[in-house]
Amino acid sequence: MATLIAPEHFSPVEDAEALRKACKGWGSDEKAIINILGHRNAIQRKQIRQAYEELYQEDLIKRLESELSGDFEKAVYRWILDPFDRDAVLANVATKKVETEFPVIIEISCIYSPEELLAVRRAYQSRYKRSLEEDVAAHTTGDLRKFLVGLVTTYRYDGPEINERLAKSEADILHEAIKDKIFNHEEVIRILTTRSKAQLKASFNRYRDEHGTSITKKLLKDESNVLQKALHAAIRCIDDPKKYYEKVLRNAIKRSGTDEDALTRVIVTRAEKDLKDLKELYFERNSEALDQAVSKETAGDYKKFLLTLLGKED
């Protein structure tokens, strides 16, 4: 469930006028910006952008970029974009540091539905005049390139049907490859980049039943192998996206020095989807409310904006 609190009825023109007022004169009225944009869903935000452009012949996104700064500006910028356009921007930033930022590419490829992934790829081409797979390939080499390009170009079957015999045989292939540390085994890459999520989950369950431990635990052994880390992230995203996101949030908050990029990414991309579920899971696993953790680790308008998206009212 979503955490975003948005009104059913609103006026895009009134919001556009209020945002114009908030951006005029010396300094901007950040509170007004948060109160409006932090309470509007994707369709409403698009209508506000259109109304603003019609009224003032100016791009609202560019205006906000020039008025705001730091983590707050980055969070507002990511929020105000159309969701698939936002994902294209996140993916593009990740391609430039793909050896460390590959989880962003994996999240989009493995958590989104085939149609959503296709929409992100279209938005990417429209924005950058290049394909996502082209940029991923240009910034990677070897086995990591083969794996990530395979993930971003796939169009998985999205139905619930599974083949139990296939689940057993592919669980065995995965087990042998992990046991022998042949992470670049072409069958492993083939299985993870082409099978439906339902079929892969059946294989992961079979793996756990037959070997007494989850496939992700077996893959955790060597943190220095980047392909191994990428395989681990992909399996976690496919197997249980909510647990995956909860861990991203926990690492962003609990490790020394808050990872604002990861924190912003999860809150902004999940606020209209399942952030309420992630909040519950976070509390269950950390005995602390996510709102509280965010409040302690962030400051100023950035903190207020994230807390608004988390559904926390003053």
Side-chain angles (χ1 to χ4, degrees), residues 157-170 194-207 209 238-239:
Y157 172 63
D158 204 24
E161 295 82 1
I162 56 166
N163 179 325
E164 284 294 352
R165 192 178 296 170
L166 188 65
K168 180 184 173 1
S169 71
E170 294 193 336
T194 63
R195 291 293 182 213
S196 74
K197 288 180 192 174
Q199 186 62 44
L200 284 169
K201 285 181 186 180
S203 294
F204 302 155
N205 289 339
R206 198 63 185 251
Y207 187 106
D209 293 346
I238 292 163
D239 196 36

Short mmCIF file of all heavy atoms in Angstrom, two decimals, residues 157-170 194-207 209 238-239:
data_model
loop_
_atom_site.label_atom_id
_atom_site.label_comp_id
_atom_site.label_asym_id
_atom_site.label_seq_id
_atom_site.Cartn_x
_atom_site.Cartn_y
_atom_site.Cartn_z
N TYR A 157 7.91 -13.84 -19.53
CA TYR A 157 6.50 -14.24 -19.43
C TYR A 157 6.04 -13.85 -18.04
O TYR A 157 6.75 -14.05 -17.05
CB TYR A 157 6.36 -15.74 -19.67
CG TYR A 157 4.96 -16.24 -19.41
CD1 TYR A 157 3.89 -15.78 -20.18
CD2 TYR A 157 4.69 -17.14 -18.37
CE1 TYR A 157 2.60 -16.20 -19.92
CE2 TYR A 157 3.40 -17.56 -18.12
CZ TYR A 157 2.36 -17.09 -18.90
OH TYR A 157 1.08 -17.50 -18.64
N ASP A 158 4.83 -13.27 -17.92
CA ASP A 158 4.39 -12.69 -16.65
C ASP A 158 3.26 -13.49 -15.98
O ASP A 158 2.63 -12.99 -15.05
CB ASP A 158 3.94 -11.24 -16.89
CG ASP A 158 4.03 -10.39 -15.64
OD1 ASP A 158 4.82 -10.74 -14.73
OD2 ASP A 158 3.30 -9.38 -15.54
N GLY A 159 2.99 -14.68 -16.47
CA GLY A 159 1.88 -15.47 -15.92
C GLY A 159 2.29 -16.30 -14.70
O GLY A 159 3.46 -16.39 -14.35
N PRO A 160 1.30 -16.96 -14.06
CA PRO A 160 1.56 -17.70 -12.82
C PRO A 160 1.99 -19.16 -13.03
O PRO A 160 2.38 -19.84 -12.08
CB PRO A 160 0.19 -17.66 -12.11
CG PRO A 160 -0.79 -17.65 -13.25
CD PRO A 160 -0.14 -16.90 -14.38
N GLU A 161 1.90 -19.65 -14.28
CA GLU A 161 2.18 -21.08 -14.52
C GLU A 161 3.63 -21.44 -14.20
O GLU A 161 4.54 -20.67 -14.48
CB GLU A 161 1.90 -21.45 -15.99
CG GLU A 161 0.44 -21.33 -16.39
CD GLU A 161 0.02 -19.91 -16.74
OE1 GLU A 161 0.87 -18.99 -16.69
OE2 GLU A 161 -1.16 -19.72 -17.05
N ILE A 162 3.80 -22.64 -13.60
CA ILE A 162 5.17 -23.13 -13.35
C ILE A 162 5.29 -24.59 -13.76
O ILE A 162 4.29 -25.32 -13.82
CB ILE A 162 5.58 -22.97 -11.86
CG1 ILE A 162 4.58 -23.68 -10.93
CG2 ILE A 162 5.75 -21.53 -11.47
CD1 ILE A 162 5.09 -23.85 -9.52
N ASN A 163 6.51 -24.99 -14.06
CA ASN A 163 6.82 -26.38 -14.41
C ASN A 163 7.72 -26.92 -13.30
O ASN A 163 8.88 -26.52 -13.17
CB ASN A 163 7.54 -26.38 -15.77
CG ASN A 163 7.93 -27.78 -16.21
OD1 ASN A 163 8.28 -28.63 -15.40
ND2 ASN A 163 7.90 -27.99 -17.52
N GLU A 164 7.18 -27.83 -12.48
CA GLU A 164 7.91 -28.34 -11.31
C GLU A 164 9.17 -29.13 -11.71
O GLU A 164 10.20 -29.04 -11.04
CB GLU A 164 7.00 -29.22 -10.43
CG GLU A 164 6.02 -28.42 -9.59
CD GLU A 164 6.66 -27.55 -8.50
OE1 GLU A 164 7.89 -27.67 -8.28
OE2 GLU A 164 5.95 -26.73 -7.90
N ARG A 165 9.07 -29.87 -12.80
CA ARG A 165 10.24 -30.65 -13.24
C ARG A 165 11.39 -29.71 -13.64
O ARG A 165 12.54 -29.93 -13.30
CB ARG A 165 9.85 -31.56 -14.42
CG ARG A 165 10.92 -32.59 -14.75
CD ARG A 165 10.48 -33.48 -15.88
NE ARG A 165 9.32 -34.28 -15.53
CZ ARG A 165 8.64 -35.01 -16.41
NH1 ARG A 165 8.97 -35.01 -17.68
NH2 ARG A 165 7.61 -35.73 -16.03
N LEU A 166 11.01 -28.63 -14.34
CA LEU A 166 11.99 -27.62 -14.75
C LEU A 166 12.57 -26.92 -13.51
O LEU A 166 13.79 -26.66 -13.46
CB LEU A 166 11.31 -26.60 -15.66
CG LEU A 166 12.20 -25.57 -16.35
CD1 LEU A 166 13.15 -26.25 -17.33
CD2 LEU A 166 11.34 -24.54 -17.09
N ALA A 167 11.72 -26.64 -12.53
CA ALA A 167 12.18 -25.99 -11.29
C ALA A 167 13.25 -26.84 -10.62
O ALA A 167 14.28 -26.32 -10.16
CB ALA A 167 11.00 -25.76 -10.34
N LYS A 168 13.04 -28.16 -10.60
CA LYS A 168 14.02 -29.04 -9.97
C LYS A 168 15.33 -29.06 -10.75
O LYS A 168 16.42 -28.92 -10.19
CB LYS A 168 13.46 -30.47 -9.85
CG LYS A 168 14.48 -31.41 -9.21
CD LYS A 168 14.04 -32.83 -9.14
CE LYS A 168 15.10 -33.80 -8.65
NZ LYS A 168 16.41 -33.28 -8.26
N SER A 169 15.25 -29.22 -12.07
CA SER A 169 16.47 -29.32 -12.87
C SER A 169 17.26 -28.01 -12.83
O SER A 169 18.49 -28.01 -12.75
CB SER A 169 16.17 -29.74 -14.31
OG SER A 169 15.55 -28.68 -15.01
N GLU A 170 16.54 -26.86 -12.83
CA GLU A 170 17.27 -25.58 -12.81
C GLU A 170 17.77 -25.23 -11.41
O GLU A 170 18.81 -24.58 -11.28
CB GLU A 170 16.40 -24.48 -13.43
CG GLU A 170 16.19 -24.78 -14.91
CD GLU A 170 15.61 -23.66 -15.75
OE1 GLU A 170 14.94 -22.77 -15.19
OE2 GLU A 170 15.82 -23.69 -16.97
N THR A 194 15.96 -15.06 -18.37
CA THR A 194 14.86 -15.40 -19.29
C THR A 194 13.62 -16.00 -18.63
O THR A 194 12.51 -15.81 -19.14
CB THR A 194 15.34 -16.39 -20.38
OG1 THR A 194 15.73 -17.61 -19.75
CG2 THR A 194 16.50 -15.82 -21.18
N ARG A 195 13.77 -16.69 -17.53
CA ARG A 195 12.60 -17.36 -16.93
C ARG A 195 11.62 -16.37 -16.30
O ARG A 195 12.03 -15.30 -15.83
CB ARG A 195 13.06 -18.36 -15.86
CG ARG A 195 13.80 -19.56 -16.40
CD ARG A 195 12.90 -20.46 -17.21
NE ARG A 195 13.62 -21.64 -17.69
CZ ARG A 195 13.38 -22.25 -18.83
NH1 ARG A 195 12.42 -21.80 -19.64
NH2 ARG A 195 14.06 -23.31 -19.19
N SER A 196 10.36 -16.76 -16.26
CA SER A 196 9.35 -15.92 -15.60
C SER A 196 9.65 -15.86 -14.10
O SER A 196 10.31 -16.74 -13.54
CB SER A 196 7.95 -16.51 -15.81
OG SER A 196 7.79 -17.66 -15.00
N LYS A 197 9.12 -14.84 -13.45
CA LYS A 197 9.35 -14.71 -12.00
C LYS A 197 8.75 -15.89 -11.24
O LYS A 197 9.34 -16.39 -10.29
CB LYS A 197 8.76 -13.39 -11.49
CG LYS A 197 9.56 -12.18 -11.94
CD LYS A 197 8.94 -10.90 -11.42
CE LYS A 197 9.56 -9.70 -12.11
NZ LYS A 197 8.92 -8.46 -11.75
N ALA A 198 7.56 -16.32 -11.68
CA ALA A 198 6.92 -17.45 -11.01
C ALA A 198 7.78 -18.71 -11.11
O ALA A 198 7.96 -19.45 -10.14
CB ALA A 198 5.54 -17.71 -11.61
N GLN A 199 8.35 -18.94 -12.30
CA GLN A 199 9.20 -20.11 -12.51
C GLN A 199 10.49 -20.01 -11.68
O GLN A 199 10.94 -20.99 -11.08
CB GLN A 199 9.55 -20.26 -14.00
CG GLN A 199 10.31 -21.53 -14.35
CD GLN A 199 9.51 -22.80 -14.05
OE1 GLN A 199 8.33 -22.90 -14.35
NE2 GLN A 199 10.16 -23.78 -13.43
N LEU A 200 11.06 -18.82 -11.65
CA LEU A 200 12.29 -18.64 -10.86
C LEU A 200 12.02 -18.84 -9.37
O LEU A 200 12.81 -19.49 -8.68
CB LEU A 200 12.87 -17.24 -11.11
CG LEU A 200 13.58 -17.07 -12.45
CD1 LEU A 200 13.88 -15.61 -12.73
CD2 LEU A 200 14.88 -17.89 -12.51
N LYS A 201 10.90 -18.32 -8.88
CA LYS A 201 10.58 -18.52 -7.46
C LYS A 201 10.40 -19.99 -7.14
O LYS A 201 10.79 -20.46 -6.07
CB LYS A 201 9.30 -17.75 -7.09
CG LYS A 201 9.53 -16.25 -6.98
CD LYS A 201 8.23 -15.55 -6.58
CE LYS A 201 8.39 -14.05 -6.59
NZ LYS A 201 7.18 -13.34 -6.22
N ALA A 202 9.82 -20.74 -8.08
CA ALA A 202 9.67 -22.19 -7.89
C ALA A 202 11.05 -22.86 -7.80
O ALA A 202 11.27 -23.75 -6.97
CB ALA A 202 8.86 -22.79 -9.04
N SER A 203 11.98 -22.42 -8.63
CA SER A 203 13.35 -22.97 -8.59
C SER A 203 14.05 -22.60 -7.29
O SER A 203 14.75 -23.42 -6.69
CB SER A 203 14.17 -22.45 -9.77
OG SER A 203 13.65 -22.95 -10.99
N PHE A 204 13.86 -21.35 -6.82
CA PHE A 204 14.50 -20.92 -5.56
C PHE A 204 13.92 -21.71 -4.38
O PHE A 204 14.66 -22.10 -3.47
CB PHE A 204 14.29 -19.42 -5.31
CG PHE A 204 14.81 -18.51 -6.40
CD1 PHE A 204 14.26 -17.24 -6.59
CD2 PHE A 204 15.83 -18.92 -7.26
CE1 PHE A 204 14.73 -16.40 -7.59
CE2 PHE A 204 16.31 -18.07 -8.28
CZ PHE A 204 15.75 -16.81 -8.44
N ASN A 205 12.60 -21.97 -4.41
CA ASN A 205 11.97 -22.75 -3.34
C ASN A 205 12.49 -24.18 -3.35
O ASN A 205 12.74 -24.78 -2.29
CB ASN A 205 10.44 -22.76 -3.50
CG ASN A 205 9.84 -21.40 -3.17
OD1 ASN A 205 10.44 -20.60 -2.47
ND2 ASN A 205 8.64 -21.13 -3.68
N ARG A 206 12.63 -24.74 -4.55
CA ARG A 206 13.15 -26.11 -4.70
C ARG A 206 14.58 -26.19 -4.16
O ARG A 206 14.96 -27.15 -3.48
CB ARG A 206 13.11 -26.49 -6.19
CG ARG A 206 13.20 -27.99 -6.44
CD ARG A 206 11.99 -28.69 -5.82
NE ARG A 206 12.11 -30.13 -5.94
CZ ARG A 206 11.38 -30.86 -6.76
NH1 ARG A 206 10.44 -30.30 -7.48
NH2 ARG A 206 11.54 -32.17 -6.81
N TYR A 207 15.36 -25.17 -4.46
CA TYR A 207 16.75 -25.08 -3.97
C TYR A 207 16.76 -25.14 -2.44
O TYR A 207 17.52 -25.91 -1.83
CB TYR A 207 17.37 -23.77 -4.47
CG TYR A 207 18.85 -23.61 -4.18
CD1 TYR A 207 19.80 -23.74 -5.19
CD2 TYR A 207 19.30 -23.33 -2.89
CE1 TYR A 207 21.15 -23.61 -4.93
CE2 TYR A 207 20.65 -23.18 -2.62
CZ TYR A 207 21.57 -23.31 -3.64
OH TYR A 207 22.91 -23.16 -3.38
N ASP A 209 14.38 -26.22 -0.39
CA ASP A 209 13.87 -27.51 0.11
C ASP A 209 14.92 -28.61 0.03
O ASP A 209 15.05 -29.44 0.93
CB ASP A 209 12.63 -27.93 -0.70
CG ASP A 209 11.44 -27.00 -0.46
OD1 ASP A 209 11.50 -26.21 0.51
OD2 ASP A 209 10.49 -27.05 -1.26
N ILE A 238 13.86 -10.58 -7.37
CA ILE A 238 12.84 -11.45 -7.97
C ILE A 238 12.08 -12.20 -6.87
O ILE A 238 10.86 -12.31 -6.89
CB ILE A 238 13.49 -12.45 -8.96
CG1 ILE A 238 14.01 -11.69 -10.20
CG2 ILE A 238 12.50 -13.55 -9.38
CD1 ILE A 238 15.01 -12.47 -11.04
N ASP A 239 12.82 -12.70 -5.87
CA ASP A 239 12.24 -13.58 -4.86
C ASP A 239 11.35 -12.82 -3.87
O ASP A 239 10.27 -13.29 -3.53
CB ASP A 239 13.37 -14.30 -4.11
CG ASP A 239 12.85 -15.49 -3.33
OD1 ASP A 239 11.92 -16.17 -3.84
OD2 ASP A 239 13.35 -15.75 -2.23
#
